[in-house]
Amino acid sequence: MHIRHLSLTNFRNYGRLELDLPLGPILLHGDNAQGKTNLLEAIYYLATTRSPHADQDAQLINWIAAQSEEPIVVCRLVADVAAAAEKRQIEMRLIQEVNLSGRNGGRTFRREALVNRRKVRLMDLLGKLQVVQFLPEDMQLVTGPPGNRRRYMDITLCQIDPIYCRQLSQYNKILEQRNALLRRLAEGRGKRDVLPIFTEKLIKLGSEIFRRRAMFLANLARETHRIHYEELTEGKETVRLGYLPRLQENGGRRADELIALEQLGEWLQSHVDDADAVQARFEQALAAALPTDMVRCTTSVGPHRDDWRFWINGRNLASYGSRGQQRSAILALKLAEIHWMTKISNETPVLLLDEVVAELDEHRRALLLTYIKELHQALLTATDPGMFTKDFLRQATTMAVENGRVIPDKI
Ligand SMILES: Nc1ncnc2c1ncn2[C@@H]1O[C@H](COP(=O)(O)OP(=O)(O)OP(=O)(O)O)[C@@H](O)[C@H]1O
Ligand SMILES: [Mg+2]
């Protein structure tokens, strides 16, 4: 699939942008702080309803507009998308209203999603534009906390699997309610007989999430291993991606706990088609954790505490891998993600690459560029287009980004 036209109003440093986007690779170049990353962020936001950079969505509204005296400020992102079977228009609106009686300095904030000009739930926007994004900070997937890896899994899966997305959102609500009840029970309030009702719902939804994640990671692991082994390290190194489902209480910090969780991951992989077995296992885990959970007033097992890790030549990549090895593993993961999305949805995703090309050596860069040629559209950013080969620049459309404006040019 590809984006034919992008229109932005009051988004970051884009007051107003109307931009036709061609097929093939598009190189956005320009000095620092001109709006290259912001443009990719807008596309990612339309695809996933999440920003990879802002902690609060309100930060995405152009700050001059946001601070104006206008009673209502709308930030609009619209993309005309061409997919294999149909064309569609998707839109996100971030709306800030001045509400004189309200708190927060009298400002309220809300979001709206539209498909073909009809309002839909935010969730229904997912999958309408599929993207794979690769940022320099994706290295954090190797070394950062488990929350980063869960977020990556959820955002990627939600683009392709609407059922997963719905179940995840329901699971998070039930989890919140269950934890609130555990707190009330600890304070001597609340009804104990409600707990099994929440627990039962949690088991049904949670076990589905476990199964879908296990399937996803198994697919991704296979392809990541192949790309890494065959195409990146010429048979010298093996990378393994292991699922660590939180189906038991212990944290997964010590080496033996990691091994135990990984064994559970393998067990899950072999039971992805057996919903009853996964439910029974999760039920057992919740029951075993209940005494401590009652004291801590939280639910310590379940997919909300999942993790996954890379292993390189049998060792933990985060602790033992060099920066170069970590970079290769992430590149293999991203290329595997493109492969997985294309296979599952019969659509090639739009690839978004912010600054990463500069960080890759020649071999890795060449591999990435061969993958880009297979896609309908890829947007790359660089401060220095000189790092691309003449051959690549001939095939790419180049555009200069200057202070919130985008000007097609020729390099
Ligand atoms: N809400 C906002 N309203 C207006 N401007 C903003 C907003 N948020 C960020 N900016 C500004 O947008 C500008 C462009 O940022 P962006 O990250 O896109 O630059 P870039 O071209 O990717 O630069 P670099 O090469 O340094 O990565 C920055 O000067 C930033 O301060
Ligand atoms: Mg940038």
Side-chain angles (χ1 to χ4, degrees), residues 84-279:
E86 57 166 38
K87 295 193 173 65
R88 53 181 83 111
Q89 188 187 71
I90 56 171
E91 175 171 349
M92 280 286 283
R93 293 179 187 160
L94 313 184
I95 303 160
Q96 175 191 284
E97 271 179 285
V98 176
N99 173 356
L100 292 174
S101 59
R103 278 186 257 150
N104 283 337
R107 289 200 162 105
T108 59
F109 175 78
R110 69 194 153 87
R111 307 197 290 169
E112 287 175 358
L114 295 89
V115 175
N116 296 331
R117 298 186 183 81
R118 280 237 176 96
K119 273 196 206 170
V120 295
R121 292 175 306 177
L122 282 177
M123 210 184 277
D124 297 330
L125 202 64
L126 302 173
K128 298 289 185 286
L129 166 63
Q130 287 160 14
V131 298
V132 169
Q133 174 169 254
F134 190 2
L135 306 175
E137 52 265 42
D138 283 335
M139 291 287 282
Q140 284 286 319
L141 285 175
V142 177
T143 50
N148 289 5
R149 287 181 286 276
R150 280 196 297 274
R151 198 172 318 120
Y152 165 75
M153 217 163 24
D154 291 341
I155 291 178
T156 310
L157 258 169
C158 277
Q159 286 196 59
I160 292 290
D161 186 349
I163 298 174
Y164 175 84
C165 195
R166 208 168 44 241
Q167 286 168 338
L168 183 68
S169 140
Q170 288 169 347
Y171 176 87
N172 286 331
K173 277 192 202 122
I174 299 288
L175 178 69
E176 231 171 79
Q177 290 172 342
R178 187 177 193 263
N179 288 342
L181 178 63
L182 290 173
R183 281 194 296 278
R184 284 201 304 277
L185 289 172
E187 291 162 3
R189 305 181 292 129
K191 291 199 188 111
R192 177 76 201 239
D193 53 355
V194 188
L195 187 62
I197 301 171
F198 286 145
T199 306
E200 195 183 321
K201 284 188 186 159
L202 204 68
I203 291 167
K204 281 231 162 66
L205 293 162
S207 54
E208 280 302 298
I209 295 168
F210 278 131
R211 289 194 318 121
R212 281 167 199 266
R213 284 183 179 172
M215 272 185 269
F216 166 65
L217 283 173
N219 273 314
L220 210 59
R222 204 174 309 121
E223 195 60 21
T224 302
H225 171 269
R226 188 194 65 74
I227 293 169
H228 187 266
Y229 187 77
E230 288 175 12
E231 301 183 21
L232 273 164
T233 65
E234 282 143 355
K236 289 194 202 80
E237 292 185 339
T238 54
V239 73
R240 199 160 55 77
L241 203 152
Y243 183 21
L244 306 171
R246 189 58 82 88
L247 266 167
Q248 70 171 36
E249 232 182 307
N250 313 16
R253 284 193 199 93
R254 294 200 320 263
D256 58 328
E257 289 173 351
L258 271 180
I259 292 168
L261 287 181
E262 240 211 314
Q263 282 166 352
L264 281 171
E266 279 159 20
W267 178 85
L268 253 182
Q269 311 278 17
S270 59
H271 287 79
V272 284
D273 294 325
D274 191 347
D276 291 344
V278 179
Q279 280 194 24

